Amino acid sequence: MTAAEPTILATSGGHRVGDRTRVAFDSLVHHAVELSEVHGRRPRIMYVGTAIGDAEHFAFRMGEAARAAGFDLTPLHLFPMPNIEDIEGAVLDHDVVWVMGGSVANLLAVWRVHGLDVVLRRAWEAGVVLSGVSAGSICWFRGGTTDSFGPRLRPLTDALGFLPYGNGVHYDSDLGRRPLIHRLVADGTLPVTHCTDDGVGLVYRGTELVEAVSEQPGKGAYLVVREGDRAVEERIAPRRLPAPRS
């Protein structure tokens, strides 16, 4: 595989409205490809849309976005059955896995039924860059906040745990997430939690957070830690990524 060490890019972004397509890849998806360090050929992205029930229309739009960006994209469907016989071999043959947002609780349940949780850990250890947005961010951590169970946000604490932290997504746009993250960190339900405003991503090498990056100006990343019986938040100013070439 191409990345020099296990790499995760966990985001609250990556997509925008395209000029000639319904969806275009924004800077965060391009950065995931850069992190894979692929050279001399077209980057290979595996798109995983489990969290939105493998919606075919969105897989099509992601394929359009990939073609416009100069990437080869393979969708991995698990509904109504896997569309690929050798899932592990296919995942390991790609440079980047990009996981779409939606229901993180449903995503985790379906992945575990099919053994994809084990496959993704092997891929991560082998150098495939794991990345995604929203549910596709929370899944790599120990847990976070989710609306998977209904409109009221609730804690989720049984995610994959590749990264030993909590994760808060859409920190600036979904107003209920920040206070719930603070409460869950303060009472010990979540460990130290890493959060992203919309358009921001967090880069991990192994399990170490090495950088926050952003495709939008004025956005932030945050560390929420427990001090006594309260949560304390520290803002991290992300590095602004260049806009993708059109």
Side-chain angles (χ1 to χ4, degrees):
M1 291 295 102
T2 47
E5 58 187 311
T7 302
I8 290 175
L9 174 62
T11 87
S12 289
H15 311 143
R16 59 179 174 83
V17 177
D19 296 325
R20 296 180 180 273
T21 59
R22 293 289 296 275
V23 176
F25 289 152
D26 213 338
S27 302
L28 287 168
V29 177
H30 286 264
H31 192 54
V33 171
E34 291 172 4
L35 290 169
S36 75
E37 302 176 17
V38 62
H39 299 291
R41 58 172 173 78
R42 288 167 63 92
R44 295 193 289 264
I45 297 179
M46 175 158 281
Y47 164 71
V48 185
T50 317
I52 52 171
D54 292 335
E56 291 184 3
H57 72 284
F58 206 84
F60 174 78
R61 292 173 184 174
M62 294 294 280
E64 285 189 323
R67 285 191 292 275
F71 307 151
D72 291 334
L73 183 139
T74 303
L76 172 60
H77 298 313
L78 299 177
F79 295 96
M81 66 180 72
N83 64 324
I84 297 170
E85 183 173 358
D86 180 7
I87 293 177
E88 182 170 353
V91 172
L92 289 169
D93 194 43
H94 285 73
D95 307 300
V96 174
V97 171
W98 182 265
V99 180
M100 185 57 192
S103 172
V104 66
N106 291 353
L107 172 154
L108 291 166
V110 174
W111 282 5
R112 285 168 172 148
V113 165
H114 291 278
L116 188 57
D117 54 336
V118 176
V119 168
L120 289 169
R121 177 174 282 278
R122 291 173 182 160
W124 175 55
E125 292 170 346
V128 178
V129 174
L130 304 183
S131 53
V133 54
S134 194
S137 174
I138 297 170
C139 62
W140 313 121
F141 295 80
R142 285 177 56 183
T145 60
T146 181
D147 55 6
S148 297
F149 307 107
R152 180 173 61 86
L153 289 168
R154 302 183 193 182
L156 180 131
T157 58
D158 64 343
L160 298 182
F162 297 178
L163 301 172
Y165 318 105
N167 183 224
V169 295
H170 308 306
Y171 207 55
D172 61 337
S173 61
D174 190 339
L175 298 182
R177 292 189 186 259
R178 180 181 250 124
L180 182 54
I181 288 287
H182 278 234
R183 179 170 66 80
L184 296 173
V185 171
D187 68 16
T189 301
L190 289 178
V192 173
T193 295
H194 299 176
C195 306
T196 50
D197 287 343
D198 286 354
V200 175
L202 300 170
V203 180
Y204 298 84
R205 297 292 193 179
T207 60
E208 179 184 359
L209 174 61
V210 297
E211 188 178 29
V213 292
S214 179
E215 60 196 11
Q216 298 180 24
K219 299 289 188 166
Y222 309 86
L223 302 182
V224 182
V225 302
R226 185 181 185 184
E227 292 188 1
D229 61 354
R230 67 190 186 102
V232 176
E233 179 181 292
E234 175 188 352
R235 187 180 190 275
I236 301 172
R239 176 173 65 88
R240 180 74 186 278
L241 295 171
R245 296 177 183 177
S246 56

